[in-house]
Amino acid sequence: MNSARIFPTIYFPTFFKSGVTILLSAGITSNAFSQESSPELINTNMAMDSAPLIIGLGAVVFAVLAMFLVLRAKKKNIQIQTMGQNQVAQLRAQLDEYEAILSCMPEITLLWQSGQSPQVFGRPEILGFENVSMDILLNFDQWLGQNDGAKLATGVKLLRQNGHNFAISVRTTNGRILRAVGEATGGTSIVRLRNATDLSPQSTTPASTNLTSNIVSQNYTSDMSASHTTYIRPALEMLLEPAWVRNADGKIDFANQAYMALCEQSGMKGSLNKFPDIFTPTQVKAQLDALHAQRQSDAQHRPQRGAQAGAVRLSQKMSGPEGDRELVLSSFEDGSIGYLRHVFNTQDEQNIAELHIANSLQADWVIDTLAGPTIVFDQEGKLKRFNTAYRELFRFSDGWLATGLNEREILDRLRREKQLPTVSNYREWRQTHLEAYKMSAQRKEDWHLADGRSFVVTATPIANKGGVIYQFEDVSGRLRLESANKAMLNVQRQTLNALSEGVAVFSTDGRLRLHNPRLSSIWKLPMNELGLSPHVDSIALACGHSIPEDGEEIWQDLKKGIIDLDPSRKDTSGRIKRQDGRLIDYAIVRLADYQTMITFVDVTKSANFEHVLKERNDALVTADALKDAFIQNVSYEFRSPLTSIIGFADLMASDNTGPLTDQQRNYIDYIRSSSAALGTLIDGILDLTNVEAGIAELDLQELNIAKLIEDAKTGFSATLVRADGMPPLNLVVTLPDPLPRFVADGARVVQILYNLISNAAKFSEPGAQISLDVEGNNEWIRFTIKDEGVGITRELEDALTGADQGRSLKSLQRGAGIGLTIVKAFVELHGGNLAIIPNTPRGSQVIVNLPADASKLIEQTA
């Protein structure tokens, strides 16, 4: 292990190292001298003499080391303290600088920090107030209108409690319009108040003059009291001319912004709830006297209408930087309204002013009626106009968007609300965007917002005057449609390329517009040539080279169906047999736009398979017919000698030919039983053949169930021969009392019962019991045959589901044979069903259900 990692290197001064070296040398010399003088006392005296020296030396080293470390830590602490003091001084200087900058800005900043008193930066004089304390400034109701004060107080409350930013416009009691913007940053709430009133001189225009005349003269009667002037103040505030309202004492109660701007130009300033008067007291008295005289004159001439005052136009003119103005007054019950109308010296000046207003109004109307979102900024980047579509596009529903806003403020808000393109460097993007004010030509840029919307923003510079017009085109729907269309085209292209058919679409001029790779492989055409939209003649020529036998001839025939402008044309299809052995199925489909689609399918392999299958099917049909004919012929051929054998066997068994020995009688019985079994087998084969051929018919009669069972037992006894010494089978029959009515084909039912009893006997041991139970009602008759044999075998299942293969289990068990197959066919011919289930404790039982009246079932199926 490296000791340097555990014990850090310690650096000692040079004098300390020299002192330690001298002490060690002295100790070593003394010890050495002692060793020379007394070698025998090395182990005792040397240790005793060196111990105090080593202890003292260690204490000295520790003291020097501790003192060095303490001095070093103290020096570092002093450096850190000095650095911290310098940083605090720098921060205080920066803070003072920031406060000075905030104080110089044309706004007042209110700052609330959690757990601290509110702070105010800026001078109240900026907003038109003098000697206003911070307490009054924070009490909004004292210097704002009642509604505006409550609105600003609510905004500040929501800002401090919930962090909801706001931007509203409010009006002070002296008529100034302020822009209040509140923002929350961490635990700090900031509200900035900026004077939004345009104090620059504005020309009085004829349009505004007409509006003022209507307001001052005829729209308000003398019945209006001073309290009712509240309703006229908003109208006066809309005027561009200086306007005011006086009370009965001649004091100004209200003045619009144009009036306050005129006062400031004249060097007069207002304060809270106090408006300066641009007229001298003598001039005010003269104006009131003139209004009083006018009212008395109107009352004498129109007593029926009451005392109404018309507009009094005095000839007094006031000259100023904006030119001459005319004073217009109108009185009401508790005061008067006045305004200064601009007087045009020449008709040209009036025409120019009217044209300016008309153009301005027309521009406002045009912008507002534009369907596309539009916004206009002047050369200083301040908002001049915008339409409703722009406000709705970016969801400015809180009244925040107003003229005079800087474009940077709008962009910053849009960024906070995530309604700007997502970029890595927003400041750089904004700087590039604002370069539109320096452009001389139109510029377009794409905005893709996070909410999925996309815009094409067109920035058009305003010639001569400067400024920019932004037009926003919402292309979100178009882009979605284009994307969906491209996706659909890609899916269609992939689907078309995956088709096993060759597809070609031709336009009305006979040129190939769409195709897939399968077309190239079927006609041996290169894909690069097909991609050049060749004419059908060119394709025919190319096929003549790739398939020289008949390629060109085939396509020339197809051309007649492809280039066909007949409105009554119909779709066609057919099969082409090429000389190279290929079979091609084609279909010509007329499209709605007079284009033509033709499809090709190579059916060579399928046609060959179809031909082979047809040949095999014909062979199978022929073989089946031969089989039926063979079976019938063989059956009939077997029956003739079998009849002779049975007849001679019966004759020999009789006593007419003489007595027989026991051995001879046994042989005769074997011949007779085997002949009977063979006859039954031949009859079954013939019946089964008729059933499979569909020509079997039922001979329906009302039957006696007991007699049917007796006939089946008789046939079974005739065919069953047991070896000597073997006990016979015990057949137990159980019949209901009374017997139910049963309508069926008696011969077929006897064959069913015979085969079932024979099958049970084949799989049963000698002496076993076989039971036949009959149950019935008005609808169904059930026959149940039970045995004690080996149970359900594979042979029995095969017999019920298909042809029996005749597998042997024992010497006596020759297989289910054709018996159960005949049973199944005859049961289904009657409309019944059968099942086989295990028998308890051993063996199996076959259940046959037949309709009680098969004629009803046959009539229903017919």
Side-chain angles (χ1 to χ4, degrees), residues 584-658:
I584 309 296
D585 283 352
Y586 72 92
I588 299 177
V589 181
R590 313 300 180 182
L591 302 182
D593 52 356
Y594 289 97
Q595 293 187 350
T596 303
M597 180 178 69
I598 182 170
T599 60
F600 301 95
V601 181
D602 189 347
V603 295
T604 305
K605 292 183 179 180
S606 60
N608 293 335
F609 290 151
E610 181 181 356
H611 180 68
V612 172
L613 291 176
K614 187 175 182 303
E615 290 181 348
R616 291 187 177 182
N617 184 65
D618 294 341
L620 291 175
V621 171
T622 303
D624 189 62
L626 292 174
K627 179 199 72 172
D628 294 340
F630 172 77
I631 291 175
Q632 292 190 8
N633 292 332
V634 169
S635 299
Y636 286 116
E637 293 296 331
F638 279 171
R639 186 173 294 277
S640 297
L642 186 60
T643 304
S644 300
I645 294 174
I646 294 175
F648 285 117
D650 291 339
L651 181 61
M652 293 174 64
S654 66
D655 295 334
N656 296 331
T657 58

Side-chain angles (χ1 to χ4, degrees), residues 286-550:
Q287 296 171 9
L288 297 178
D289 292 342
L291 290 175
H292 181 68
Q294 182 67 43
R295 292 188 63 181
Q296 290 180 349
S297 175
D298 290 343
Q300 293 175 1
H301 289 86
R302 290 178 294 181
Q304 71 279 8
R305 294 182 55 188
Q308 288 186 351
V312 179
R313 299 181 183 275
L314 303 179
S315 59
Q316 178 183 0
K317 293 184 178 181
M318 300 180 61
S319 300
E322 295 182 339
D324 296 336
R325 294 179 182 272
E326 182 181 7
L327 176 62
V328 181
L329 300 175
S330 180
S331 64
F332 53 90
E333 183 179 357
D334 296 328
S336 62
I337 300 174
Y339 83 100
L340 293 176
R341 185 178 68 86
H342 187 80
V343 178
F344 297 98
N345 296 325
T346 63
Q347 185 64 31
D348 292 339
E349 293 181 2
Q350 183 173 357
N351 293 338
I352 294 174
E354 292 177 353
L355 181 61
H356 174 73
I357 292 299
N359 292 337
S360 178
L361 294 176
Q362 184 178 9
D364 290 340
W365 178 83
V366 170
I367 291 176
D368 193 59
T369 55
L370 287 176
T374 305
I375 188 169
V376 182
F377 294 94
D378 60 12
Q379 66 274 15
E380 297 180 357
K382 293 184 178 180
L383 176 60
K384 298 299 292 181
R385 297 183 181 92
F386 62 92
N387 61 359
T388 305
Y390 177 82
R391 185 178 66 248
E392 294 176 351
L393 178 66
F394 292 106
R395 308 180 183 96
F396 291 114
S397 59
D398 55 357
W400 179 82
L401 192 65
T403 57
L405 282 176
N406 191 281
E407 185 179 3
R408 292 176 179 269
E409 296 182 55
I410 298 176
L411 292 176
D412 291 344
R413 169 164 177 165
L414 292 177
R415 180 179 179 241
R416 290 194 300 270
E417 296 179 354
K418 298 182 179 180
Q419 298 197 75
L420 285 182
T422 303
V423 294
S424 57
N425 191 335
Y426 167 70
R427 294 184 179 274
E428 182 179 348
W429 177 90
R430 185 181 64 180
Q431 184 66 28
T432 304
H433 174 78
L434 295 177
E435 290 179 358
Y437 293 91
K438 303 176 183 179
M439 297 188 311
S440 58
Q442 193 179 73
R443 181 189 70 183
K444 291 187 177 183
E445 57 181 342
D446 297 329
W447 286 17
H448 300 286
L449 308 189
D451 58 3
R453 294 184 296 169
S454 298
F455 306 111
V456 175
V457 183
T458 303
T460 305
I462 302 176
N464 301 328
K465 297 182 180 180
V468 180
I469 301 176
Y470 293 104
Q471 292 175 299
F472 294 79
E473 180 185 1
D474 191 347
V475 296
S476 306
R478 188 182 70 188
L479 292 180
R480 284 194 295 268
L481 288 177
E482 290 179 355
S483 177
N485 186 41
K486 289 181 180 179
M488 184 178 65
L489 289 177
N490 290 334
V491 172
Q492 291 179 348
R493 173 64 64 181
Q494 294 176 2
T495 303
L496 190 64
N497 293 340
L499 292 177
S500 59
E501 299 90 348
V503 179
V505 177
F506 292 90
S507 59
T508 55
D509 59 356
R511 291 193 171 273
L512 182 65
R513 299 303 179 187
L514 186 65
H515 66 282
N516 65 346
R518 184 59 178 160
L519 178 69
S520 172
S521 61
I522 291 177
W523 295 101
K524 303 177 182 180
L525 298 173
M527 284 291 294
N528 56 348
E529 293 185 6
L530 294 178
L532 300 176
S533 300
H535 194 270
V536 64
D537 291 333
S538 302
I539 297 177
L541 184 62
C543 285
H545 294 292
S546 59
I547 309 175
E549 295 86 356
D550 55 352

